């Protein structure tokens, strides 16, 4: 499959109207022909937590959202992207529930990584634990097998609860590969064109390593799953939050990667009114990427931008974001903190709020994103220039809910009436339609407080100019009539 080089929308299944039928109606009524690149529907499957990211299975759609026929209907007009949490599955899944009942006698026992498959006698080794990239205080949970009363410790990378709701899969098992293949067949039967391999960096567990992006084993797994996906005409998008050089290794293997560096870099560029960091980054960057400014998670900082940021400057960026209402997620493991103790993992807030609800700054940020090579994704809150949702954070206790507001149709209509959203719509249409974006990209020399990015294809061209001090954004381009034209964003 060829991924369309046009703008994609990222949304939860219930965030634009309440369910999948409403999402389809919103796409037709409010955003017709706008998301020609596709729709990334965040997990619509039955789930026991983490707003869909603890799936119980991938063979059904959560009834509150709709059915597979609703997904297929959206897929008739848009390429649909869904997530596969390839690292884990819900504790509530029939597979793990059977294991909880029967232990090693369960037909699904092979799916899970008990600690006795990792350490002798199942006893964690302190020096090994110290090397693991932790997402919770310890990488395992203890469960009681119903039939025997035996205590079993099982690998659980993610989850706030103890025991965790998210149980890691043993990807070395033939049983696991059979299960993943069944999920992909179901995706193919229901018009899914792209699958994001969420948390794929954590799939390989090996003593003496960080248990994160373990080479070469991770490539062996990716080669297997790619061959399987290719046979069903499904494109893969591995999702890995790690040092950018690790991401680049994936790109060299031919995979699309996520540009997790760009969101922070654009913030710094606009706050400092300097193009230095952005221009330096754009000099040596794989083009086969998906770009974003915001998503259901926060703005990545560490480990994604390790060695790319000056922590003194980063603290200035964080201070501005926090003054504007953002909250911060921290790194748990010392290994991934900066030498000076800087430990910011993500900045949580809406991009529009981080830019001070400044329409011109926000449109400048989107213009940079759309001109940087890659498949641009726009998160639904960003599409509607949403502001920080403090009430949802207070109700849920989840920091990331600050950027996960669910919109009613009336709220969508109200947001669409704002000037900033109408300007963004116009910019999206320009990015979708101008042929130069399928050509060659250049960073043009400019003053430090300016940005000039250029695309050319045959006689077609478009050039972005941004005055960072005035936050003035204009695009010079050749129009359909072959005339030179200027568009003020």
């Amino acid at each position: 499959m060829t991924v369309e080089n046009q703008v994609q929308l990222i949304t939860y299944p219930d965030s634009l109207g309440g369910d999948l039928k409403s999402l389809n109606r919103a796409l037709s009524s409010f955003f017709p022909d706008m998301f020609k690149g596709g729709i990334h529907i965040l997990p619509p499957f039955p789930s026991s937590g983490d707003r869909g990211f603890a799936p119980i299975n991938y063979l059904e759609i959560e009834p509150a959202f709709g059915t597979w026929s609703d997904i297929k209907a959206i897929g008739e007009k848009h390429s649909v992207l869904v997530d596969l949490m390839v690292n884990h599955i819900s504790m509530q899944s029939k597979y793990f529930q059977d294991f909880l009942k029967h232990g090693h006698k369960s037909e699904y026992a092979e799916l899970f990584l008990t600690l006795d498959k990792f350490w002798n006698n199942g006893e964690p080794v302190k020096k090994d634990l110290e090397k693991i990239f932790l997402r919770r205080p310890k990488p395992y949970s203890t469960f009681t097998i119903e039939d025997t009363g035996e205590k079993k410790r099982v690998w659980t990378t993610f989850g706030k609860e103890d025991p965790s709701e998210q149980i890691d899969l043993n990807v070395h098992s033939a049983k696991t590969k059979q299960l993943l293949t069944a999920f992909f067949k179901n995706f193919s039967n229901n018009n899914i064109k792209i699958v994001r391999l969420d948390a794929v960096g954590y799939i390989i567990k090996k003593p003496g390593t960080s248990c994160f992006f373990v080479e070469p084993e991770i490539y062996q797994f990716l080669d297997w799953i790619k061959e399987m996906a290719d046979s069903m005409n499904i494109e893969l998008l591995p999702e890995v939050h790690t040092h950018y050089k690790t991401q680049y290794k994936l790109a060299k293997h031919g995979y699309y990667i996520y540009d997790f560096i760009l969101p922070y870099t654009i913030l710094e560029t606009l706050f400092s009114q300097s193009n230095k960091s952005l221009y330096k980054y754009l000099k040596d960057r794989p083009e086969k990427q998906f770009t974003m400014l915001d998503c259901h998670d926060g703005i990545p900082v560490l480990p994604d931008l390790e060695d790319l940021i000056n922590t003194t400057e980063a603290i200035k960026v964080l201070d501005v974001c926090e003054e504007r209402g953002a909250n911060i997620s921290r790194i748990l493991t010392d290994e991934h903190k900066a030498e000076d103790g800087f430990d910011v993992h993500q900045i949580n807030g809406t991009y529009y709020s981080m830019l001070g609800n400044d329409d011109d700054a926000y449109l400048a940020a989107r213009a940079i994103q759309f001109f940087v090579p890659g498949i641009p994704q726009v998160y639904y809150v960003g599409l509607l220039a949403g502001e920080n949702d403090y009430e949802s954070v207070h109700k849920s206790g989840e920091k990331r809910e600050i950027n996960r507001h669910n919109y009613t149709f009336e709220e969508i209509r109200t947001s669409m009436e704002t000037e900033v959203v109408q300007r963004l719509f116009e910019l999206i249409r320009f990015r979708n339609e101008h042929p130069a974006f399928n050509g060659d990209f250049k960073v043009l020399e400019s003053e430090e407080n300016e940005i000039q990015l250029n695309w050319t294809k045959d006689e077609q061209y478009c050039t972005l100019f941004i005055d960072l001090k005035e936050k003035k954004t204009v695009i010079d381009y050749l129009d359909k009539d072959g005339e030179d034209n200027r568009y003020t964003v």
Side-chain angles (χ1 to χ4, degrees):
M1 180 205 168
T2 302
V3 177
E4 294 295 329
N5 181 22
Q6 294 174 304
V7 179
Q8 291 188 357
L9 174 69
I10 311 172
T11 181
Y12 284 101
D14 57 340
S15 287
L16 294 173
D19 58 21
L20 289 164
K21 279 188 170 63
S22 298
L23 171 59
N24 200 6
R25 198 159 77 248
L27 292 170
S28 300
S29 302
F30 300 130
F31 321 118
D33 301 320
M34 190 174 296
F35 296 107
K36 296 182 177 182
I39 311 296
H40 178 180
I41 303 175
L42 295 165
F45 316 109
S47 171
S48 59
D50 199 14
R51 192 154 179 182
F53 281 86
I56 293 171
N57 72 65
Y58 296 86
L59 304 176
E60 302 169 30
I61 299 298
E62 167 58 46
F65 302 149
T67 66
W68 274 112
S69 63
D70 297 317
I71 297 280
K72 289 184 81 170
I74 295 171
E76 288 173 6
K77 292 185 178 179
H78 305 87
S79 293
V80 175
L81 186 162
V82 296
D83 297 89
L84 177 70
M85 272 51 74
V86 71
N87 177 71
H88 52 266
I89 200 160
S90 171
M91 179 175 74
Q92 302 302 326
S93 67
K94 72 174 184 179
Y95 318 107
F96 193 70
Q97 286 297 305
D98 193 81
F99 173 78
L100 278 182
K101 184 172 179 59
H102 303 300
H104 72 274
K105 292 183 179 179
S106 167
E107 63 177 305
Y108 303 115
E110 281 183 47
L111 294 177
F112 309 109
L113 188 64
T114 51
L115 294 202
D116 53 14
K117 296 176 184 174
F118 192 83
W119 285 300
N120 289 335
N121 303 317
E123 283 301 318
V125 175
K126 186 171 183 285
K127 67 178 182 179
D128 287 343
L129 279 175
E130 289 171 349
K131 292 180 180 177
I132 294 171
F133 179 31
L134 295 176
R135 296 303 303 269
R136 56 200 305 270
K138 62 181 186 292
Y140 58 88
S141 299
T142 303
F143 299 92
T144 302
I145 304 303
E146 184 179 331
D147 286 355
T148 63
E150 181 184 11
K151 300 286 186 183
K152 276 289 183 182
R153 288 185 283 196
V154 182
W155 205 283
T156 53
T157 298
F158 296 93
K160 292 186 175 181
E161 305 84 0
D162 193 14
S164 174
E165 276 286 330
Q166 300 175 65
I167 313 298
D168 285 33
L169 293 168
N170 178 12
V171 298
H172 296 296
S173 161
K175 199 91 174 175
T176 300
K177 291 182 177 178
Q178 289 170 12
L179 185 65
L180 295 175
T181 301
F183 292 156
F184 266 81
K185 284 180 179 175
N186 186 54
F187 291 158
S188 178
N189 291 338
N190 286 285
N191 233 358
I192 302 302
K193 299 300 182 187
I194 310 171
V195 173
R196 184 174 82 151
L197 299 177
D198 189 86
V200 70
Y202 298 91
I203 60 170
I204 305 296
K205 284 81 175 177
K206 187 175 180 180
T209 73
S210 66
C211 295
F212 182 83
F213 209 90
V214 177
E215 301 174 89
E217 288 87 346
I218 190 165
Y219 300 121
Q220 294 163 5
F221 174 81
L222 284 169
D223 289 346
W224 169 80
I225 202 167
K226 184 177 187 304
E227 183 179 356
M228 183 258 288
D230 285 348
S231 72
M232 302 178 199
N233 201 29
I234 292 175
E235 183 69 58
L236 296 180
L237 172 58
E239 184 258 8
V240 181
H241 279 291
T242 182
H243 191 286
Y244 71 98
K245 288 184 178 177
T246 304
Q247 285 260 56
Y248 289 5
K249 290 178 183 178
L250 274 177
K252 285 181 179 177
H253 276 75
Y255 291 97
Y256 275 99
I257 60 173
Y258 258 114
D259 191 340
F260 289 132
I261 299 169
L262 192 63
Y264 172 89
T265 304
I266 291 178
L267 281 180
E268 183 186 283
T269 298
L270 292 169
F271 291 171
S272 67
Q273 299 179 1
S274 167
N275 62 25
K276 282 188 174 180
S277 294
L278 179 66
Y279 274 21
K280 182 179 179 182
Y281 170 53
L282 294 179
K283 281 181 181 177
D284 182 24
R285 170 190 177 276
E287 293 195 0
K288 195 174 178 181
Q289 302 204 45
F290 279 58
T291 69
M292 37 80 85
L293 295 185
D294 46 1
C295 67
H296 66 285
D297 282 335
I299 304 300
V301 184
L302 293 180
D304 304 81
L305 283 89
E306 192 176 339
D307 300 330
L308 285 179
I309 57 172
N310 176 300
T311 55
T312 302
E313 294 303 313
I315 289 168
K316 293 178 185 177
V317 171
L318 292 166
D319 286 346
V320 173
C321 291
E322 287 187 291
E323 284 169 14
R324 293 170 176 174
N327 63 64
I328 305 299
S329 297
R330 304 284 176 178
I331 292 261
L332 292 179
T333 359
D334 289 340
E335 182 183 348
H336 292 276
K337 296 176 183 178
E339 288 184 6
D340 60 2
F342 183 82
D343 63 349
V344 175
H345 179 48
Q346 293 180 341
I347 313 169
N348 302 303
T350 78
Y351 216 83
Y352 185 63
S353 291
M354 289 183 202
L355 291 173
N357 301 351
D358 183 326
D359 292 3
D360 291 335
Y362 185 61
L363 271 296
R366 285 293 175 193
I368 295 169
Q369 180 201 0
F370 291 175
F371 266 74
V372 168
I375 309 299
Q377 292 187 319
V378 177
Y379 184 57
Y380 75 99
V381 177
L383 174 70
L384 299 172
E387 299 180 22
N388 290 336
D389 188 343
Y390 305 112
E391 185 179 348
S392 290
V393 175
H394 179 72
K395 282 182 179 178
S396 66
E398 168 56 68
K399 292 180 176 182
R400 294 172 298 176
E401 287 292 321
I402 195 170
N403 192 29
R404 296 178 176 180
H405 180 74
N406 286 341
Y407 287 81
T408 64
F409 271 35
E410 187 55 40
E411 287 176 314
I412 296 171
R413 290 189 189 95
T414 300
S415 298
M416 286 178 60
E417 291 171 1
T418 63
E419 181 184 343
V420 64
V421 171
Q422 286 300 314
R423 288 167 66 189
L424 177 56
F425 285 7
E426 187 178 356
L427 183 60
I428 289 171
R429 292 187 185 100
F430 182 87
R431 175 61 178 79
N432 282 339
E433 294 165 9
H434 202 282
F437 288 108
N438 291 309
D440 298 316
F441 172 74
K442 284 184 183 177
V443 177
L444 304 180
E445 286 189 20
S446 60
E447 298 295 325
E448 185 180 339
N449 63 354
E450 297 174 349
I451 290 171
Q452 292 194 71
L453 307 178
N454 170 261
W455 284 91
T456 56
K457 181 175 174 60
D458 301 324
E459 73 280 359
Q460 295 286 339
Y461 77 93
C462 57
T463 301
L464 173 68
F465 173 84
I466 299 176
D467 181 328
L468 292 170
K469 287 187 175 179
E470 300 297 327
K471 293 187 283 289
K472 179 182 177 183
T473 303
V474 295
I475 298 172
D476 291 305
Y477 66 100
L478 197 69
D479 65 22
K480 292 177 181 177
D481 299 321
E483 300 290 332
D484 293 324
N485 212 326
R486 172 166 287 187
Y487 156 37
T488 300
V489 176

